[in-house]
Amino acid sequence: VLTDENIHSIKEFKELNLQVDNADEATMKRISMLTNVKRLVLKGNITDESIPYISKLTNLESLDLSGTKISAAGMGLVK
């Protein structure tokens, strides 16, 4: 579980593999704070509504959303 307290301990990570069971707004805001991440694998209950948060990760070089519920149309919105 990502919390305000533990998000700071992983903010400098370059690679992350996250299982997200509850992709609520607070969780996605925390994920969007991981701006140093270059490689990210997300799995779980992540839908098209999460795209604006994922798009804030401007340093991403590799993004794997295959284990999510993001639609093909949503994949096209990821920048």
Side-chain angles (χ1 to χ4, degrees), residues 27-41:
T27 298
M28 294 313 300
K29 279 184 181 179
R30 289 181 189 110
I31 289 173
S32 74
M33 294 170 59
L34 302 172
T35 55
N36 289 319
V37 172
K38 292 185 181 225
R39 182 176 182 281
L40 180 62
V41 178

Side-chain angles (χ1 to χ4, degrees), residues 2-15:
L2 287 176
T3 65
D4 289 335
E5 293 76 31
N6 68 16
I7 193 74
H8 300 290
S9 65
I10 63 172
K11 281 181 93 171
E12 299 303 317
F13 285 21
K14 303 292 185 212
E15 296 185 15

Side-chain angles (χ1 to χ4, degrees), residues 2 10 13-21 28 31 34 37-46 54 57 60-68 70 75:
L2 287 176
I10 63 172
F13 285 21
K14 303 292 185 212
E15 296 185 15
L16 283 172
N17 186 336
L18 296 174
Q19 171 71 36
V20 180
D21 296 323
M28 294 313 300
I31 289 173
L34 302 172
V37 172
K38 292 185 181 225
R39 182 176 182 281
L40 180 62
V41 178
L42 288 175
K43 297 179 187 210
N45 191 27
I46 297 173
I54 296 168
L57 302 173
L60 280 180
E61 296 172 2
S62 173
L63 176 63
D64 181 350
L65 299 171
S66 61
T68 68
I70 294 178
M75 292 284 192

Side-chain angles (χ1 to χ4, degrees), residues 47-77:
T47 63
D48 291 357
E49 288 78 29
S50 300
I51 299 294
Y53 299 102
I54 296 168
S55 293
K56 291 181 180 182
L57 302 173
T58 56
N59 288 321
L60 280 180
E61 296 172 2
S62 173
L63 176 63
D64 181 350
L65 299 171
S66 61
T68 68
K69 296 180 179 182
I70 294 178
S71 68
M75 292 284 192
L77 298 174

